[in-house]
Amino acid sequence: MSRREEESLKRYKQWAAVILSLLLAAAVSACGNQGTAELAYPSKQVEYIVPYSAGGGVDLVARAAADYLSKEWGQPIVVVNKAGGGGAVGAEYALKQAKNDGYTALAVNVSNTTMLAAGMKAPPITSEDQVYAARIGKGTLAFAVKADAPWKDFAEFSAWVRANPEQLTWTSVGPAGFSAFGVAEWLDVIGADFAKTRMIVTKGASDSVPKVAGGHAILAVHTVGEIMPMLKAGKVKILAVSGDTRSPFLPDVPTAEEQGIQGLSVFWWTGVSFAKGTPASIIRKWEEAIAKMEKDPAFLQKLSEIHVEPAYAVSEAFTKETQAETTYYLELATKKGIRK
């Protein structure tokens, strides 16, 4: 190699070393900035997407949580309602269209996750599209009929339905809605023919419970909180609640299990999730803040006012529970012909 070539090679190596140093510095700076941004989170407004209309259970819990977290973090947590598609429209926006930087949170609930995945062969969103940060609250399932209905208790009503399934009309937002899974599980447990019953499609509890009160449907299956207004007005009566313990909001109403009908496990829940790829440090921050929130007397009072029970679950436990729930609902939906 000539001297000229040796000098050229030497200059090339020097320039290469300089460029490499600059690239490394830029990479370190970017990582440092990202880490600093995550530590400072939230440093601006966070959108808390509620995939339903204002006024429902998911919306009210989200607003109570947003109020608490805005004060806790000193940044506005703004609830944005994006209704449609049974909760799928807002969920798709939060999980697939918005950035996964932690500044778009989803008010996730049972209807737009486990039940959606079980009820549809090609659901628009699945658990794989999101990271479950924490569960916040739950609602007990209640079985309501018209106030002057002839059945004195749930056992008697269940016996009538088992003998006359074709006469049972019940309300739901659709074949894969929350009410549909509650009815399907109950009919499966008592041995009644689900296919012979008739579903009446409604817009939700605010539409379906009045239909039962007016005699246009026999049964409404919703959370205690959703039925409470018509119950207090004396328009409907609740024959039973699901689960193995009585609702704290209806201590005088026996569970289905107390009346000899065991195995009813469907319940309503809501929490917070984020798009896949959201930094783990941000998930932890929400997880820890919600844990603290669930010990706050003012927040717990707000939950009580809307008849929602606190049901905190950390990210890992929340994720495992939704996976198990999806498997169970998938089996039920397939068995009862709900899956479309």
Side-chain angles (χ1 to χ4, degrees):
M1 180 181 297
S2 66
R3 179 174 294 180
R4 180 177 295 180
E5 288 173 332
E6 289 178 352
E7 290 177 352
S8 297
L9 180 59
K10 184 177 180 179
R11 285 195 297 270
Y12 171 79
K13 288 180 178 181
Q14 289 173 337
W15 277 109
V18 170
I19 293 171
L20 180 59
S21 296
L22 291 172
L23 290 173
L24 287 172
V28 169
S29 176
C31 290
N33 289 339
Q34 182 179 0
T36 301
E38 289 176 20
L39 288 172
Y41 175 91
S43 59
K44 60 181 180 179
Q45 175 178 301
V46 176
E47 278 195 340
Y48 195 169
I49 306 300
V50 172
Y52 303 100
S53 300
V58 176
D59 177 74
L60 294 175
V61 172
R63 290 181 186 279
D67 287 345
Y68 175 89
L69 294 171
S70 293
K71 296 172 184 175
E72 177 73 11
W73 288 335
Q75 291 291 346
I77 312 298
V78 180
V79 172
V80 179
N81 296 92
K82 288 185 179 293
V89 172
E92 280 192 276
Y93 169 79
L95 303 177
K96 292 187 173 182
Q97 297 172 29
K99 293 180 179 179
N100 58 356
D101 57 2
Y103 285 92
T104 305
L106 173 66
V108 68
N109 90 311
V110 62
S111 296
N112 64 16
T113 51
T114 57
M115 289 180 176
L116 184 67
M120 296 181 67
K121 293 180 180 178
I125 57 167
T126 67
S127 289
E128 285 66 39
D129 297 317
Q130 58 196 305
V131 181
Y132 295 99
R135 190 176 62 204
I136 296 175
K138 70 176 183 177
T140 300
L141 199 69
F143 295 80
V145 294
K146 193 176 179 183
D148 60 358
W151 307 284
K152 68 178 185 297
D153 57 34
F154 196 50
E156 184 180 288
F157 178 59
S158 295
W160 177 81
V161 171
R162 186 164 48 245
N164 306 279
E166 70 284 348
Q167 294 186 45
L168 176 65
T169 53
W170 49 278
T171 58
S172 178
V173 295
F178 176 70
S179 300
F181 280 89
V183 170
E185 181 184 57
W186 162 57
L187 295 179
D188 188 53
V189 166
I190 67 173
D193 192 338
F194 177 78
K196 290 183 178 180
T197 66
R198 184 164 66 89
M199 177 186 70
I200 296 176
V201 178
T202 66
K203 297 177 182 178
S206 61
D207 180 26
S208 70
V209 183
K211 275 185 168 56
V212 169
H216 304 293
I218 290 175
L219 176 68
V221 180
H222 290 286
T223 64
V224 168
E226 290 172 322
I227 297 174
M228 192 65 78
M230 297 297 283
L231 178 69
K232 288 183 175 179
K235 302 294 184 180
V236 299
K237 63 181 178 181
I238 295 178
L239 298 177
V241 295
S242 63
D244 54 8
T245 58
R246 294 191 180 193
S247 166
F249 309 114
L250 294 172
D252 296 329
V253 176
T255 65
E257 193 167 301
E258 288 179 84
Q259 300 181 62
I261 300 169
Q262 301 181 340
L264 301 189
S265 62
V266 174
F267 73 99
W268 176 93
W269 55 258
T270 187
V272 182
S273 70
F274 291 85
K276 185 177 181 180
T278 298
S281 61
I282 291 176
I283 300 299
R284 283 195 299 274
K285 189 152 189 176
W286 276 78
E287 184 183 59
E288 291 166 0
I290 291 172
K292 183 179 178 181
M293 178 178 75
E294 299 248 346
K295 296 176 183 177
D296 180 69
F299 176 75
L300 293 175
Q301 179 60 33
K302 287 183 179 180
L303 286 190
S304 179
E305 289 171 359
I306 59 176
H307 304 101
V308 171
E309 300 170 53
Y312 177 70
V314 298
S315 179
E316 183 179 4
F318 190 16
T319 301
K320 288 181 178 178
E321 288 176 21
T322 56
Q323 291 171 341
E325 193 174 81
T326 300
T327 299
Y328 172 66
Y329 287 153
L330 178 58
E331 293 173 354
L332 182 63
T334 302
K335 183 178 182 180
K336 295 302 179 183
I338 294 175
R339 189 168 173 80
K340 303 297 181 182

